[in-house]
Amino acid sequence: MKVLVIGSGGREHAISHRLALSKKVGEVICVPGNGGTAHEEKCRNAVPPAGMTLVEGAVEIAKKEGVDFAVIGPEDPLAEGIADALWDNGIPTVGPKAKGAALEASKDLSKVFMKKYGVACADSETFTDKEAALAYVEKKGAPIVIKADGLAAGKGVVVAKTKEDALKAVRDLMDGSAVGDAGKKLVIEEYLQGVEISVLAAVSVKPGDEKNATIRPFLPARDHKRLLDGAQGPNTGGMGAVCPLSDVTAETMAQFEERIMKPTLKGLVAEGMDYRGFIFFGLMITKDGPKALEYNVRLGDPETQAVLPMMDFDFADMCLSIIDGSLGSFGMKWKSGFQVAPVVVSGGYPLKYAKGKKISLDEKKIAEAGAKVFIAGAVEDSEGALVTSGGRVLACSAHGETFDDAWKKAYSAIDGISFEGAFHRNDIGLPGAAESN
């Protein structure tokens, strides 16, 4: 088979790598891909033709290459209807159509959906008037959570510790100075006390085939959002992930399935969505059990770099089961042990950072540690050298039968990676590393 993967980040490198491991997959075409997918076995990059949007280019490349199916990585093209366009051109696609993708593209729509179908979540109100939003914050006080309604590349959520911080967040978001038009509408939400986790899941919901509609959760994982050790410093797109989680019990997962996952599935079916792809449940484990913080309509990043290596089944086969409606009977098996995936970022991230820094990879040291490097913000320069092109540059993912073993392998491998200004946290997965006040 030939498979198309849309995206250019670490998530897409991990997806492409996992697809390429399948004996049934002969080639993975990454649009546009990055410096990692360019060298991944059985993978190659392809750039959309000049003058075409990503959606138009993906359709053109898929038809020209005769791909068997496509997998969509990021949220933006999903919201723009890339799955609709590919299906309209006869290309089976793993990724929800635009109606389902709106669950991430609009925080307000997402909250309306959760409340309508009884998904356990934080109380919230939605505002389009700045003065009304400010008055609500004055009334409620802090801590409180301010969310831009639209897609904001991970920069549209402010967890405000003080009322002053919350008022400033409302002004910055609604004035357009923080995330542009994405902040013209705000969702203001109660602050939930607890520990945050991520549950990625496969989804197969097709109108007219309700009896086979299903969501299959993966192992729970945890992202580490803060820049510095001890969950300090500014929020980022993710400084590393660990999977599975020793502090998440079977009882917690059963509560998640009953209170969050099943009502979500009920809603997807009732709303007539064609949702064949992945969903990311951002959860807070509170004293009252898990509550949903958000939906993402794709796999998480960097969680994907920790979760997919734990799969003990053919990822391509699972994608086909999502497409054809047989996901409910698909045999999901998972490796024992743990996966730890710290992220290496550019100096200055998440604010200003330089690009074009040459990356040195000691492949022998990385291999000896038993780790896999997933490239995110790096490309090949004119001489074929790998250079930085983004803030989050790569993730170094390693497996161990114990957490300590996986942790030591991942950080041993990081010692074999260098570029000017390189920075990483040293506590990914350790107790308290993802918690902050």
Side-chain angles (χ1 to χ4, degrees):
M1 292 189 296
K2 191 181 286 190
V3 186
L4 190 76
V5 173
I6 303 297
S8 60
R11 166 185 48 224
E12 288 74 41
H13 187 183
I15 290 171
S16 299
H17 168 70
R18 200 71 208 176
L19 287 168
L21 290 177
S22 172
K23 294 179 180 178
K24 297 180 180 179
V25 174
E27 187 174 31
V28 180
I29 302 165
C30 308
V31 181
N34 61 32
T37 54
H39 292 280
E40 189 66 49
E41 186 177 356
K42 292 163 63 172
C43 299
R44 65 180 166 91
N45 294 344
V47 179
M52 286 191 177
T53 65
L54 179 59
V55 173
E56 294 166 343
V59 170
E60 181 72 15
I61 293 168
K63 291 165 65 176
K64 180 181 177 182
E65 295 285 352
V67 302
D68 293 276
F69 67 91
V71 180
I72 315 301
E75 63 273 22
D76 285 342
L78 286 167
E80 292 164 8
I82 192 169
D84 305 66
L86 286 164
W87 277 107
D88 287 347
N89 282 274
I91 311 298
T93 300
V94 179
K97 291 185 176 180
K99 185 177 179 180
L103 288 174
E104 180 173 0
S106 170
K107 294 288 192 299
D108 177 44
L109 185 148
S110 175
K111 294 297 290 192
V112 169
F113 177 94
M114 289 181 189
K115 292 174 183 178
K116 182 177 180 180
Y117 293 102
V119 175
C121 62
D123 289 335
S124 68
E125 295 289 342
T126 298
F127 297 89
T128 55
D129 179 79
K130 183 172 69 174
E131 295 306 318
L134 292 169
Y136 184 79
V137 170
E138 288 280 4
K139 176 184 174 183
K140 289 292 186 179
I144 198 165
V145 182
I146 317 296
K147 296 182 175 182
D149 174 62
L151 294 174
K155 300 174 183 177
V157 177
V158 176
V159 181
K161 293 189 293 184
T162 67
K163 187 170 70 174
E164 290 69 27
D165 288 343
L167 294 171
K168 182 179 186 301
V170 168
R171 294 187 184 101
D172 290 347
L173 288 167
M174 298 198 87
D175 288 344
S177 60
V179 294
D181 289 343
K184 296 298 184 184
K185 181 189 288 187
L186 293 185
V187 173
I188 302 182
E189 195 171 86
E190 71 168 318
Y191 173 78
L192 295 177
Q193 185 71 42
V195 181
E196 198 168 342
I197 71 168
S198 307
V199 177
L200 315 184
V203 184
S204 185
V205 174
K206 179 185 176 184
D209 190 21
E210 288 78 9
K211 70 180 188 299
N212 288 316
T214 188
I215 299 178
R216 300 286 301 280
F218 299 162
L219 296 175
R222 177 171 288 125
D223 185 11
H224 297 64
K225 287 292 187 185
R226 300 286 183 170
L227 179 69
L228 306 175
D229 287 2
Q232 301 300 308
N235 234 13
T236 73
M239 294 297 294
V242 60
C243 175
L245 304 174
S246 299
D247 61 329
V248 175
T249 65
E251 180 185 5
T252 295
M253 290 303 292
Q255 290 174 337
F256 154 72
E257 293 190 17
E258 195 64 32
R259 301 175 186 177
I260 297 170
M261 192 184 83
K262 287 182 180 179
T264 297
L265 178 61
K266 179 182 177 181
L268 297 179
V269 172
E271 296 293 328
M273 294 181 182
D274 190 339
Y275 197 123
R276 283 175 279 179
F278 302 107
I279 194 166
F280 168 117
F281 295 93
L283 308 177
M284 185 69 78
I285 310 303
T286 74
K287 61 180 177 58
D288 300 317
K291 291 191 177 183
L293 296 173
E294 64 175 351
Y295 295 125
N296 290 165
V297 297
R298 32 73 187 185
L299 294 174
D301 191 342
E303 291 95 336
T304 299
Q305 294 90 301
V307 176
L308 264 59
M310 292 293 296
M311 291 178 170
D312 196 16
F313 54 82
D314 189 308
F315 185 67
D317 277 346
M318 188 196 67
C319 289
L320 291 172
S321 77
I322 289 171
I323 291 167
D324 68 19
S326 63
L327 177 64
S329 60
F330 181 79
M332 281 189 190
K333 295 182 180 179
W334 300 91
K335 297 176 183 176
S336 60
F338 294 83
Q339 197 82 19
V340 177
V343 169
V344 182
V345 303
S346 296
Y349 174 80
L351 302 175
K352 278 190 168 184
Y353 53 86
K355 299 180 182 180
K357 302 299 182 181
K358 188 173 181 179
I359 301 170
S360 174
L361 299 177
D362 186 335
E363 295 186 6
K364 181 180 178 182
K365 187 175 184 65
I366 294 168
E368 287 175 349
K372 172 67 178 177
V373 173
F374 293 115
I375 298 297
V379 296
E380 288 184 304
D381 65 11
S382 58
E383 298 177 354
L386 194 62
V387 299
T388 64
S389 62
R392 289 191 297 160
V393 177
L394 56 87
C396 197
S397 187
H399 179 265
E401 284 302 318
T402 66
F403 168 79
D404 287 345
D405 186 29
W407 191 90
K408 288 173 183 175
K409 287 178 177 178
Y411 280 97
S412 175
I414 275 187
D415 288 341
I417 300 167
S418 63
F419 57 87
E420 184 183 337
F423 175 80
H424 65 270
R425 282 182 57 168
N426 295 295
D427 64 345
I428 299 302
L430 297 181
E435 301 172 36
S436 72
N437 296 320

